Amino acid sequence: MRRWIGVGLALLLGAAVVAAIVAGNRDGGAGTRDLTLVRGVIGSEKKPFFDDPRVRAAFAAHGLRVEVDTAGSRQIATSVNLGKYGFAFPSSAPAAEKIRRDRGATRTFAPFSSPMAIATFTPIADVLGQAGVVRDSGQGYQVLDIQKYLDLVAKGTRWDKLPGNTAYPARKRVLLTTTDIRTSNSAAMYLSIAGYVANGDDVVTSDEQGARVARAVAPLFLDQGYSETSTEAPFEDYLSLGMGKTPMVMIYEAQYASRLFAGDGSIRPDMRLLYPSPTVLSKHTLVPLGERGTEVGRLLQEDPELGRLAALYGFRTAAPRAFDDLVAKVKAPLPPGLVDVVEPPDHERLEGMISAVETLYRSGAVPSPTP
């Protein structure tokens, strides 16, 4: 009798499990079928945001399943086949403007932005402070004077020749580490900053100016030697290998801020974030390529939950409170706003400058920098 009771209970339990699985699959399947798939191509720095289950859930609450591929902003604007996507989301406003024109889009969305910044270390900031290149902003953060930095580079200054430098007596040149100017948007934004200063504190607006400025600032890139294609790679070197390998690297503020907000210990007490003076904003601009893409852009710009999650990933949004609250919570030296911000050149001028530097790469020429 006990044996038959046990068999009966096992059968009942098995039937209950099967019923639960069938019901779960029915509900999940219906839910999946009810979601509208939207595919997009994005800059790689936004991939962790789109992969976050909370972001997926926020889109699902509005009936969307958003899937993304990644490419460089320059590639998205020039070589990616956009026909299979519902939206393009480069990290660059000039690239987005080219896409908008080429595809005949009637509007764009700019839900995120991130100023360009410099990840470095306290000893490096102190040494550059003694050289007059780094100064306090008076508002709780430090800035690197691009004109004075360009003057150091023009003289071919090496770290061990800086006065009073005992903390980092390296024999290599004083140079910011960047990504490859030929592939990466962050390097293009750095080119925009240096080009603005080299052009007499004016945005490059003509081909003649672009050619002259590109030749003047080319050593900033060519003298580095090998450069990574993605901003994540030099930032990871900065985090893991320290100032011996990467004393200062041009990054998006969002990369540094997201690590601070995560509290994962990767930002150590000896690390510092400097802001170039001037700097530019990397405006992550979504170009809809259809109605579904328009809905994605609208939600990214208007949905409070998506805005909160974007702030967790270090992005500044149109509603600054989420970002500011996180800054206050971790007591981070990140400014609520920046004043010394300039615009990058339009897409054609910026592409012309990049192409001029690319030609020098191919020829092996390294022009002498000019003050």
Side-chain angles (χ1 to χ4, degrees):
M1 177 64 73
R2 291 178 181 173
R3 177 171 175 269
W4 288 110
I5 291 174
V7 171
L9 289 173
L11 289 172
L12 287 172
L13 179 61
V17 170
V18 170
I21 292 173
V22 170
N25 285 343
R26 185 184 300 118
D27 292 343
T32 300
R33 286 195 300 271
D34 288 345
L35 296 180
T36 299
L37 174 63
V38 190
R39 294 187 59 80
V41 57
I42 66 171
S44 60
E45 67 289 327
K46 293 185 286 292
K47 186 71 159 55
F49 169 80
F50 278 95
D51 285 345
D52 191 312
R54 295 168 295 180
V55 172
R56 292 180 180 273
F59 279 122
H62 294 277
L64 299 180
R65 178 160 63 95
V66 179
E67 296 184 356
V68 295
D69 296 325
T70 62
S73 294
R74 191 184 185 201
Q75 293 173 302
I76 297 173
T78 58
S79 61
V80 170
N81 176 13
L82 298 179
K84 60 182 179 179
Y85 295 110
F87 65 91
F89 199 2
S91 307
S92 161
E97 178 58 20
K98 176 174 171 35
I99 296 167
R100 187 196 66 77
R101 292 199 312 263
D102 290 351
R103 303 289 299 189
T106 57
R107 67 177 302 183
T108 60
F109 299 88
F112 311 151
S113 68
S114 183
M116 301 310 299
I118 299 161
T120 187
F121 300 87
T122 300
I124 299 297
D126 290 346
V127 165
L128 292 176
Q130 292 174 16
V133 178
V134 168
R135 67 177 187 275
D136 288 330
S137 67
Q139 298 178 352
Y141 62 95
Q142 293 179 298
V143 300
L144 183 143
D145 188 306
I146 291 296
Q147 181 60 70
K148 293 181 178 178
Y149 165 70
L150 293 180
D151 292 342
L152 278 185
V153 174
K155 298 171 185 174
T157 307
R158 299 180 184 272
W159 287 103
D160 62 347
K161 300 302 181 184
L162 288 174
N165 178 13
T166 58
Y168 188 69
R171 289 183 288 177
K172 57 186 178 182
R173 295 185 186 183
V174 177
L175 282 173
L176 274 163
T177 297
T178 73
T179 44
D180 193 326
I181 186 63
R182 296 166 291 184
T183 59
S184 172
N185 180 66
S186 63
M189 294 298 97
Y190 176 42
L191 175 62
S192 299
I193 295 168
Y196 179 92
V197 175
N199 195 42
D201 288 341
D202 269 322
V203 177
V204 170
T205 57
S206 71
D207 293 341
E208 181 183 1
Q209 289 176 349
R212 173 176 53 78
V213 166
R215 189 165 184 84
V217 303
L220 301 177
F221 303 95
L222 274 62
D223 286 348
Q224 291 183 56
Y226 173 76
S227 296
E228 298 280 0
T229 58
S230 165
T231 312
E232 201 60 35
F235 185 59
E236 287 297 329
D237 283 349
Y238 164 80
L239 293 175
S240 60
L241 301 179
M243 69 180 183
K245 169 70 167 59
T246 311
M248 51 182 183
V249 56
M250 179 66 67
I251 63 168
Y252 299 107
E253 177 198 60
Q255 293 176 277
Y256 195 97
S258 64
R259 297 300 185 104
L260 276 175
F261 298 159
D264 58 8
S266 58
I267 303 298
R268 302 187 298 276
D270 67 329
M271 292 177 169
R272 291 289 180 272
L273 192 66
L274 308 177
Y275 290 87
S277 178
T279 190
V280 298
L281 290 180
S282 178
K283 297 177 184 176
H284 299 263
T285 305
L286 186 147
V287 183
L289 305 174
E291 291 185 7
R292 295 174 182 174
T294 299
E295 181 65 5
V296 171
R298 186 188 67 79
L299 289 172
L300 286 171
Q301 192 158 288
E302 298 177 3
D303 185 78
E305 176 64 6
L306 287 170
R308 184 186 71 81
L309 293 169
L312 282 173
Y313 281 91
F315 296 112
R316 296 176 183 252
T317 67
R321 181 170 180 177
F323 183 89
D324 293 345
D325 286 349
L326 289 168
V327 169
K329 181 179 179 181
V330 301
K331 298 180 174 61
L334 307 179
L338 293 165
V339 174
D340 196 6
V341 177
V342 299
E343 292 294 328
D346 64 27
H347 184 266
E348 284 71 23
R349 302 292 87 72
L350 188 54
E351 274 294 304
M353 292 165 66
I354 293 171
S355 296
V357 178
E358 189 172 12
T359 298
L360 293 170
Y361 265 111
R362 289 198 302 266
S363 69
V366 183
S368 298
T370 56

